[in-house]
Amino acid sequence: MQDEDCVRIGKRLFTEGLVGGNFGNMSRREGDGFLVTRTGSYLDDPGDLVMVPCEGEAPPGASSEYRVHQAVYNLTPHLAIVHAHPAHAVAASLACERIVPKDSEGEMLCPEIAVVGGAPGTQELADNVAAALKDAHLVIARGHGTFAAGKSLDEAYLYTSLAEYSCRVLLYAGLWGKGIL
């Protein structure tokens, strides 16, 4: 059976252009593990989720980014994660070591967004994202996408949307490359 929250959030991500094709994934903490979208699934129609333990290997079919979700749940109190590929946030991550939003919502909710390295699907990326999310709700993996976390998929979605909006505002304001980012 499909997870209604994942379908709803997946549709919002597609509608806002925060993911393309079958990019991105989502998870929700569940007991001693977490439910995560399947590798290659479309977020607006993810199918059945895969239960992954918080320790050890993931079963077949789990998202290729399961290590990131595992590391975040083991290191932080977050209960949900949304990983998306918003174009402006990805572009900003290629040019900047950190993002400092200048729009009012960005300043209020996420005054600084860390940019971390690591190849997709690797333990290096998992460790870097988890460390950044220990005291935050949002991080951008350089050239790859956002990882947003919170107490629910709705909260994680909010931070995903915020990242793209804040990066777009910085671009439109001509602030990229002026020492702001």
Side-chain angles (χ1 to χ4, degrees):
M1 180 154 83
Q2 285 194 354
D3 184 282
E4 290 179 21
D5 285 340
C6 280
V7 172
R8 182 175 49 79
I9 296 300
K11 286 180 179 179
R12 292 180 89 175
L13 291 165
F14 268 108
T15 300
E16 282 194 41
L18 301 175
V19 293
N22 61 352
F23 304 157
N25 45 71
M26 292 181 274
S27 71
R28 178 170 44 79
R29 182 74 190 231
E30 189 83 17
D32 292 335
F34 56 95
L35 290 166
V36 68
T37 51
R38 293 184 169 278
T39 190
S41 67
Y42 295 95
L43 294 188
D44 62 338
D45 187 18
D48 293 338
L49 303 182
V50 178
M51 183 63 156
V52 177
C54 279
E55 298 293 333
E57 292 296 313
S63 169
S64 60
E65 292 290 9
Y66 81 88
R67 287 177 188 84
V68 172
H69 296 258
Q70 214 172 39
V72 170
Y73 291 131
N74 283 330
L75 190 63
T76 76
H78 296 303
L79 300 175
I81 300 168
V82 170
H83 168 50
H85 297 246
H88 292 89
V90 171
S93 77
L94 295 171
C96 311
E97 295 300 315
R98 64 190 176 98
I99 311 298
V100 180
K102 294 300 178 189
D103 60 285
S104 60
E105 290 80 11
E107 286 181 333
M108 181 174 48
L109 296 173
C110 196
E112 183 173 311
I113 305 168
V115 175
V116 299
T122 64
Q123 191 60 48
E124 177 188 16
L125 178 63
D127 293 342
N128 291 340
V129 168
L133 291 178
K134 190 172 180 185
D135 297 313
H137 289 277
L138 181 61
V139 62
I140 305 173
R142 186 176 321 287
H144 180 50
T146 57
F147 285 90
K151 63 183 179 298
S152 67
L153 286 171
D154 285 293
E155 184 176 29
Y157 161 79
L158 171 80
Y159 283 100
T160 302
S161 183
L162 173 79
E164 181 66 353
Y165 181 81
S166 292
C167 289
R168 197 175 322 131
V169 167
L170 289 169
L171 175 65
Y172 293 163
L175 296 174
W176 284 19
K178 296 196 186 299
I180 299 296
L181 308 175

